[in-house]
Amino acid sequence: MSRIIAVLALTGLLTACGAPPPPDPERPPVPKAESPITATANTYKDAARSAVQATQAQAAAQAGAADAANR
């Protein structure tokens, strides 16, 4: 008897904690506004990417100059 109650309780718990229903295709989700923290983080990431690209370009130019000097 106690096993049946335990199984029913577990079944009820699993049913309640199941996956959420799929989103309605006719009502797409509304995009959220970007928070100030996210905007600042994106600005820093963009600046870091630009710095990496500039450094790589400078390194490639120096490598080319070194190769030209060795010839």
Side-chain angles (χ1 to χ4, degrees):
M1 180 71 176
S2 64
R3 286 186 182 176
I4 295 173
I5 294 173
V7 169
L8 289 176
L10 183 59
T11 304
L13 181 63
L14 290 176
T15 304
C17 297
D24 186 7
E26 294 185 15
R27 293 184 59 201
V30 177
K32 296 180 181 177
E34 189 174 63
S35 74
I37 295 172
T38 304
T40 302
N42 287 337
T43 301
Y44 279 111
K45 284 195 281 184
D46 292 341
R49 287 185 184 111
S50 297
V52 166
Q53 288 175 350
T55 303
Q56 288 174 341
Q58 184 180 9
Q62 288 178 352
D67 287 342
N70 287 334
R71 289 183 186 189

